[in-house]
């Protein structure tokens, strides 16, 4: 990936009001996060062979952020922007609790987007170790909802 591609991603983030972007390919990883003023506030990359770039306005390039350590847990992330619900209705029990075993087809929550209730599935086999979002709170695309220990 070259500087031109990164600038194009930043432009797309601004144009589409995306606050966070992450891409990982083989030995390359980049993560961009926008602040309130639209500027890229943090980036990280690995094995980019000297790739550097500046923030808008000529600010100096940010130093690389150390890669996050690999953990054995997976994250179930939100596939969309919306409102997170742990159960199908306010009176019903939650779809899953910490310690629950799930498979790829297990519904773990609902995300309401534009008055449509979207069932979110685990998409992996394992045990839920953490619920990372409060019920009835807004979530963003890619935001971690649950942690899952694969089995």
């Amino acid at each position: 990936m070259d500087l031109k591609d990164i600038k194009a991603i930043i432009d797309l983030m601004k144009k589409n009001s995306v606050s966070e972007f992450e891409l990982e390919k083989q030995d390359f990883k980049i993560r961009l996060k926008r602040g309130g003023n639209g500027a890229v506030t943090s980036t990280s990359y690995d094995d980019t062979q000297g790739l550097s770039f500046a923030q808008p306005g000529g600010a100096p390039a940010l130093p690389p952020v150390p890669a996050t350590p690999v953990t054995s847990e997976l994250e179930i992330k939100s596939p969309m922007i919306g409102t997170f619900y742990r159960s199908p209705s306010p009176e019903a029990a939650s779809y899953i609790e910490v310690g629950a075993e799930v498979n790829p087809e297990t519904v773990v929550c609902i995300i309401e987007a534009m008055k449509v209730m979207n069932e979110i599935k685990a998409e992996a086999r394992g045990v839920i170790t953490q619920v990372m979002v409060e019920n009835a709170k807004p979530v963003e695309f890619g935001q971690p909802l649950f942690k899952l220990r694969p089995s």
Side-chain angles (χ1 to χ4, degrees):
M1 178 171 274
D2 61 7
L3 184 58
K4 182 176 68 173
D5 294 331
I6 295 169
K7 286 181 178 180
I9 292 168
I10 292 170
D11 289 341
L12 283 171
M13 288 174 66
K14 289 178 183 176
K15 190 182 293 182
N16 295 298
S17 300
V18 174
S19 60
E20 196 169 332
F21 175 84
E22 187 170 344
L23 174 69
E24 195 168 339
K25 280 177 149 179
Q26 296 168 340
D27 61 346
F28 177 79
K29 179 179 178 180
I30 185 168
R31 182 176 181 181
L32 304 171
K33 191 182 261 189
R34 288 181 356 141
N37 62 1
V40 176
T41 57
S42 69
T43 59
S44 66
Y45 52 90
D46 295 326
D47 298 329
T48 57
Q49 299 163 350
L51 176 66
S52 66
F53 46 93
Q55 292 183 348
L62 295 170
V65 178
T68 336
V70 177
T71 64
S72 62
E73 291 188 334
L74 302 174
E75 291 179 336
I76 300 173
K77 296 181 179 183
S78 176
M80 65 189 68
I81 295 173
T83 305
F84 171 85
Y85 294 105
R86 293 193 60 196
S87 62
S89 69
E91 309 81 37
S94 295
Y95 282 108
I96 51 133
E97 296 291 341
V98 172
E101 290 189 28
V102 296
N103 65 52
E105 295 300 311
T106 304
V107 174
V108 294
C109 66
I110 289 178
I111 295 182
E112 177 188 4
M114 297 174 54
K115 305 289 183 201
V116 176
M117 299 297 185
N118 302 281
E119 290 185 339
I120 308 304
K121 296 181 179 178
E123 297 183 1
R125 182 175 307 280
V127 177
I128 299 296
T129 59
Q130 184 179 357
V131 179
M132 301 175 74
V133 179
E134 288 183 49
N135 191 46
K137 295 292 183 186
V139 293
E140 299 219 9
F141 173 78
Q143 179 177 346
L145 305 173
F146 300 93
K147 283 198 177 183
L148 173 92
R149 184 177 59 246
S151 60

